Amino acid sequence: MNIEKNLDQIIETIPSDVNLVAVTKNRTVEEIQRVVDYGIIDLGENRVQELIEKFDKVVGDVRWHLIGHLQTNKVKYIIDKVHLIHSVDSLKLAKEISSQSKKNNIFTKILIQINVSREESKYGIYLQDIESFLYAIDELENISVQGLMTMAPNIENIEEIRHIFRKLKELYDKIKDKQNLYKNVDMNFLSMGMTNDYSTALEEGSNIVRIGRGIFV
Ligand SMILES: *Cc1c(COP(=O)(O)O)cnc(C)c1O
């Protein structure tokens, strides 16, 4: 596995104002440590249990991102460990994040996961429901909506994927224009793009890419 060489190549293709989250799910602590020692500080996990296990073992200045579906009853285990939760997909979850944050006397930054293509198998809020969702979150304390996240469908057609990314960027800009209407919304991050589609996501305005397999090959 040529982790350092892969990172060299990936970083060359990413503008300096874009955040690279190295997705470390299913990777060993030794593999992850090489990524951190290389100088990557943002690490993404999609399962609570794995994040907790690795949290104490990986050494260095690390910011952990929770990028996968988060069950409400597990929020309490990670609330003081995560830098950004990318996958908020229900009001119930947002409420629990708010209440656990209050308990811990911290503020938690979140992204709203959007199911742009309305795939049954995917988590996320539908595009047309976002406004009422943001108003509901605005009633909560100790939580800050920092942007949007999506996962493109697993398809070959890159133009179809591009269309999805473009729609999310349009929604992001629309909310950003009106963010003064909300007190808990401060749009800074658009998290889209994985190993297979991140160059398209960057062309469409992503500023956080989440790359796993491309690093660990
Ligand atoms: C696994 C995962 C990624 C990374 O996917 P790769 O194809 O390995 O780059 C990104 N985002 C989420 C939510 C994931 O679960």
Side-chain angles (χ1 to χ4, degrees), residues 1-90:
M1 215 181 283
N2 214 327
I3 293 173
E4 292 77 12
K5 212 172 184 178
N6 297 335
L7 281 167
D8 281 344
Q9 283 172 0
I10 291 166
I11 282 167
E12 218 169 277
T13 63
I14 297 179
S16 58
D17 57 347
V18 169
N19 288 287
L20 167 62
V21 173
V23 178
T24 52
K25 65 182 183 213
N26 305 324
R27 302 298 167 182
T28 65
V29 170
E30 289 70 29
E31 288 164 347
I32 300 169
Q33 195 62 54
R34 280 169 67 182
V35 171
V36 174
D37 292 346
Y38 178 96
I40 304 294
I41 60 172
D42 292 290
L43 305 181
E45 284 287 337
N46 66 345
R47 290 176 54 227
V48 165
Q49 186 60 35
E50 240 182 289
L51 192 153
I52 294 168
E53 279 167 19
K54 292 165 178 174
F55 185 83
D56 287 324
K57 296 190 181 132
V58 176
V59 183
D61 259 332
V62 170
R63 306 193 296 198
W64 291 95
H65 297 244
L66 201 283
I67 60 173
H69 178 64
L70 176 56
Q71 282 174 274
T72 304
N73 62 356
K74 294 193 174 158
V75 170
K76 57 180 175 287
Y77 303 120
I78 51 124
I79 196 70
D80 60 341
K81 297 182 170 59
V82 285
H83 173 69
L84 183 64
I85 301 173
H86 291 228
S87 44
V88 174
D89 56 9
S90 74

